């Protein structure tokens, strides 16, 4: 437990809650959380309700997950990402992809080995390293990379960048040369902008020989609280994850899995609608942040540089708008912040206006 870092998101939530509760203060706009504001489509909820109403579903579900659910995600990978998967050996069902971040570290490296992480990168990756008793190192390029495993994440949380051309191929070659294993966190895979197509790591030649990809039902289908995801690809890692879960979990509630099947095999218009909504909001946010460096090629975030002399803490306390401080995602994130688009349009517009006001006041102070 002493190895674990401070849980960044819990600490952020606590600071925002304390600021929101300040007596007499103006109401706060929270653009710091990556929590989908719209749930799954009605047919998914209906599948859960119908399943939960049956008397035969309240015992333990199969520990390894429903075969039909594995077949459903394999079909989606074939149709959307042009990746063929064997549902029986190359798909593990997990209680949320965040859990799988930890599980991969536990089954992929020995205690004391090195896991390479992106910097900036998702704030819970270091927790996986700590729980595995591994060493953490930042990843910058493959020429200098030395480690037993590598975490990648595109589109990226927090930087909202899509994968650069050729990077997946380089990662495969590096892993083949070093014997390392690769995890690609594909949580935001369907949320890409400007005409881009989703790019799965597993579509690259040789990828499944060296690694796995995580798919989350949270972002594509608005099922964040349902805790359902997948580890896909390398059959040995998939088998290790399933064996680990045999020891620590007792399966996922069957109606949740049945709802997952409904989401994956039913109408997909909600996925595109969700993506288009975030792109529209991205356009508004980037336009509002025109005087600072800001980027968002995908996800439901905008990554932007804070003006000199202005901190995320000042934005929270003085301007009543919460964003996620960039240093919480790694040392190279210092001076940047992450803004969430997963809010209502009204909340986003209010928050953007407060950011503009804060930036203008900062410029006035400099002048």
């Amino acid at each position: 437990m002493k190895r674990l870092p401070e849980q960044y998101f819990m600490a952020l939530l606590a600071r925002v809650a304390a600021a929101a509760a300040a007596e007499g203060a103006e109401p706060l706009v929270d653009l710091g959380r990556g929590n989908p504001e719209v749930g799954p489509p009605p047919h998914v909820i209906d599948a859960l309700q119908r399943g939960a109403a049956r008397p035969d579903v309240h015992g333990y579900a199969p520990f390894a997950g429903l075969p039909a659910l594995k077949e459903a995600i394999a079909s989606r990978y074939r149709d959307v990402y042009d990746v063929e998967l064997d549902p029986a050996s190359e798909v593990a069902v997990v209680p949320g992809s965040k859990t799988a971040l930890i599980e991969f570290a536990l089954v992929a490296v020995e205690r004391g080995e090195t896991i390479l992480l992106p910097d900036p990168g998702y704030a819970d990756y270091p927790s996986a390293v700590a729980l595995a008793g591994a060493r953490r190192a930042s990843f910058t390029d493959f020429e200098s990379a030395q480690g037993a495993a590598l975490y990648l994440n595109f589109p990226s949380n927090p930087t909202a960048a899509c994968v650069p051309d050729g990077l997946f191929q380089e990662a495969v070659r590096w892993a083949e040369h070093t014997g390392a294993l690769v995890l690609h966190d594909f949580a935001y895979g369907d949320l890409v902008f400007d005409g881009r197509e989703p790019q799965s790591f597993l579509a690259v030649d040789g990828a499944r020989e060296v690694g796995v990809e995580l798919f989350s039902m949270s972002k594509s289908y608005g099922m964040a609280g349902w805790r359902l995801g997948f580890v896909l690809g390398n059959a040995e890692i998939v088998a290790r994850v399933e064996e680990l879960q045999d020891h620590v979990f007792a399966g996922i509630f069957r109606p949740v899995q049945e709802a997952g099947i409904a989401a994956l095999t039913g109408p997909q218009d909600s996925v595109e609608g969700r993506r288009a909504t975030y792109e529209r909001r991205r356009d508004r946010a980037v336009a509002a942040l025109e005087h600072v460096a800001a980027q968002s090629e995908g996800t439901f975030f905008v990554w932007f540089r804070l003006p000199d002399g202005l901190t995320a803490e000042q934005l929270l306390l003085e301007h009543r708008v919460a964003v996620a401080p960039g240093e919480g995602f790694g040392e190279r994130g210092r001076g940047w912040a992450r803004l969430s688009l997963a809010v209502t349009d009204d909340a986003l517009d209010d928050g953007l206006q407060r950011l503009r006001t804060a930036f203008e006041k900062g410029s006035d102070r400099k002048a």
Side-chain angles (χ1 to χ4, degrees), residues 334-355:
R334 191 169 299 279
W336 293 74
R338 190 195 72 179
L339 175 155
S340 175
L341 305 170
V343 295
T344 65
D345 287 336
D346 288 345
L348 178 62
D349 289 340
D350 191 357
L352 291 173
Q353 181 56 52
R354 296 184 189 201
L355 289 175

Side-chain angles (χ1 to χ4, degrees), residues 120-121 153-154 156-161 295-299 301-303 338:
N153 172 214
F154 294 103
S156 164
N157 176 10
T159 69
Q295 67 179 38
S296 179
E297 298 176 337
T299 73
F301 300 116
V302 174
W303 182 244
R338 190 195 72 179

